[in-house]
Amino acid sequence: VQQLNKTDILTGSLAILDEYGLADLTMRRLATALKVQPGALYWHFPDKQTLLGAVADRILAPLEEPVPVGEWADQLTELAYRLRDALLAHRDGAELVSATYASRLTTSKVREKMVSALIRGGLARADAELGAYTLLYYILGHTVDEQSRMQMDSAGALPDDASPLYETPDTTARFDFGLQLFVSGVRARLGEHAR
Amino acid sequence: VQQLNKTDILTGSLAILDEYGLADLTMRRLATALKVQPGALYWHFPDKQTLLGAVADRILAPLEEPVPVGEWADQLTELAYRLRDALLAHRDGAELVSATYASRLTTSKVREKMVSALIRGGLARADAELGAYTLLYYILGHTVDEQSRMQMDSAGALPDDASPLYETPDTTARFDFGLQLFVSGVRARLGEHAR
DNA sequence: ACCTGAACACCGTTCAAGT
DNA sequence: ACCTGAACACCGTTCAAGT
């Protein structure tokens, strides 16, 4: 740890994120962890927002992997699961991405891949764009909720086996519900009914 | 403005929100606006989070109004539009609600009304609950995006008539797309095809 | 080019003490 | 019961000055 570079800063950011959460990911704490003065970070990144954007990119890196060929609906489902997995892979990952990716989402690779899948499915370009946004909003919203609940539960140290029975225990099934609802909606729009 | 009460505080909060935005809605600025010391606010609200929660409730108050009788899909559409309108009625309204309502959403009236509509439509209770979440996530995500874009545009003071042509100008139509996609998805799940 | 030292202008929250 | 005064423990950001 002699010469600071962007990669070190991002790695340090993810370490703090995973161990202490988004609220503790401050420029000053990050600087301390990197054994550097707070001002040093500003030589590499213009401001905190930009840094968080770069962290978000790192979190979403697994989505660069090409999705296997197949039916459009399967590809879409695959993309959705990958996105959710990437967000869940880091503490507060969903919150960070949805907070910093608000408008940058427009230029994200995931979105483009979803659009292509929808176009191959038969949607017009304009509809495919709107559809991709719809799915993205759902995935982010659901995952932020799921993750915050997970963390609340583990922090609450639930009284023994009193796990929340009132909820479907299988969060993946819950996620899949909305996902399949979306796919069904697209199918209906395409005039398909079978499957 | 002699004796401070919760209502005054909430009204003052909304005033700051509308005029300066969520970032400027701080306990200290609020106190100054109310001609009071910051500590005074803590006699009425335990912390900022709770205060913001109460502000969110005020923003969503219009949704208490009973929704007219009709087909379930129409009721759902009506609820969705009302929610969006309520969020758009205040600067950063969508952001504030989606940030503070993360888990409180579970106990919101809107959600319950959506659930009832979906049950009347024919979904099982468990599916109706999941469906309501799905719709809610979409509405919040879409509206946060829409509102932030609105504010970026008006701040950017677009070079004359160079309004964003690359996007569907009608944001309501964009919103409706995802909404109808959702309704179609539910219909498909119900085994309906007509309409 | 890259970082330190030190400051600036803020935050949310607490709490004794006043009325 | 309700609020003030004053502090505590933080923030993000800037920038002259050092190497």
Side-chain angles (χ1 to χ4, degrees):
Chain A
V1 199
Q2 23 164 4
Q3 269 264 118
L4 207 58
N5 59 46
K6 282 183 201 254
T7 306
D8 293 336
I9 296 180
L10 293 180
T11 304
S13 299
L14 280 173
I16 293 182
L17 190 68
D18 285 331
E19 201 161 355
Y20 306 100
L22 184 57
D24 284 340
L25 180 47
T26 69
M27 298 302 267
R28 300 182 98 104
R29 279 192 68 142
L30 179 56
T32 303
L34 295 170
K35 293 183 209 288
V36 109
Q37 294 295 315
L41 300 172
Y42 288 84
W43 198 91
H44 300 275
F45 292 95
D47 49 35
K48 187 179 181 181
Q49 215 201 162
T50 307
L51 202 173
L52 289 182
V55 175
D57 284 335
R58 277 269 286 244
I59 292 176
L60 298 180
L63 293 170
E64 298 295 312
E65 218 71 18
V67 55
V69 286
E71 215 207 329
W72 65 270
D74 294 332
Q75 289 202 329
L76 219 56
T77 303
E78 172 70 16
L79 282 170
Y81 272 101
R82 278 202 201 168
L83 175 51
R84 172 168 170 263
D85 287 347
L87 297 176
L88 290 180
H90 293 93
R91 163 125 79 135
D92 292 335
E95 199 187 333
L96 188 152
V97 170
S98 94
T100 70
Y101 249 60
S103 55
R104 309 220 291 118
L105 225 152
T106 318
T107 49
S108 80
K109 287 280 178 56
V110 214
R111 202 192 118 271
E112 282 168 30
K113 288 183 182 178
M114 287 177 174
V115 170
S116 327
L118 287 169
I119 289 178
R120 288 202 308 102
L123 283 188
R125 158 133 245 136
D127 285 358
E129 305 257 5
L130 293 176
Y133 275 115
T134 304
L135 181 53
L136 240 14
Y137 295 142
Y138 168 66
I139 298 171
L140 284 174
H142 175 94
T143 312
V144 167
D145 239 36
E146 178 184 352
Q147 197 168 39
S148 83
R149 266 185 246 273
M150 272 172 49
Q151 288 165 184
M152 275 176 56
D153 287 355
S154 66
L158 306 168
D160 252 25
D161 54 356
S163 56
L165 291 171
Y166 48 89
E167 282 182 5
T168 309
D170 189 351
T171 59
T172 304
R174 290 171 64 85
F175 176 71
D176 207 61
F177 182 88
L179 179 54
Q180 295 314 321
L181 215 55
F182 172 81
V183 173
S184 300
V186 174
R187 281 222 165 82
R189 224 190 139 72
L190 290 170
E192 299 180 25
H193 301 290
R195 223 280 205 229
Chain B
V1 198
Q2 24 162 4
Q3 268 264 118
L4 206 59
N5 59 45
K6 283 182 201 255
T7 307
D8 293 336
I9 296 179
L10 293 180
T11 305
S13 298
L14 280 173
I16 293 182
L17 191 69
D18 285 331
E19 201 160 356
Y20 306 100
L22 185 57
D24 284 340
L25 180 47
T26 69
M27 298 302 268
R28 300 181 99 102
R29 279 193 69 142
L30 179 56
T32 304
L34 294 170
K35 293 183 211 285
V36 108
Q37 294 295 315
L41 300 172
Y42 288 84
W43 198 91
H44 299 275
F45 292 95
D47 50 35
K48 188 180 182 183
Q49 215 201 161
T50 307
L51 202 173
L52 289 181
V55 174
D57 284 335
R58 276 270 285 245
I59 292 175
L60 297 180
L63 292 170
E64 298 295 312
E65 218 71 19
V67 54
V69 286
E71 215 206 329
W72 65 271
D74 294 332
Q75 290 203 327
L76 220 54
T77 303
E78 172 70 16
L79 282 169
Y81 273 101
R82 278 203 201 168
L83 175 51
R84 173 169 170 261
D85 288 346
L87 298 176
L88 291 179
H90 293 93
R91 163 125 78 134
D92 292 335
E95 199 187 332
L96 188 153
V97 169
S98 94
T100 71
Y101 250 60
S103 56
R104 309 221 290 117
L105 225 152
T106 319
T107 49
S108 79
K109 287 280 177 58
V110 213
R111 204 192 117 270
E112 281 169 32
K113 287 183 183 178
M114 288 177 173
V115 171
S116 326
L118 287 169
I119 290 179
R120 287 202 308 103
L123 283 188
R125 159 133 246 136
D127 286 357
E129 304 257 6
L130 293 175
Y133 276 116
T134 304
L135 182 54
L136 241 13
Y137 295 142
Y138 168 66
I139 299 172
L140 285 173
H142 175 95
T143 311
V144 166
D145 239 35
E146 178 183 354
Q147 196 168 39
S148 83
R149 265 185 246 271
M150 273 172 48
Q151 286 164 184
M152 275 176 55
D153 287 355
S154 66
L158 306 168
D160 251 25
D161 53 355
S163 57
L165 291 171
Y166 48 88
E167 283 182 5
T168 308
D170 189 350
T171 59
T172 303
R174 290 171 64 85
F175 176 70
D176 208 60
F177 181 89
L179 179 53
Q180 295 313 321
L181 215 55
F182 173 80
V183 173
S184 300
V186 173
R187 280 221 166 81
R189 224 191 140 73
L190 290 171
E192 297 180 28
H193 301 288
R195 223 277 206 234

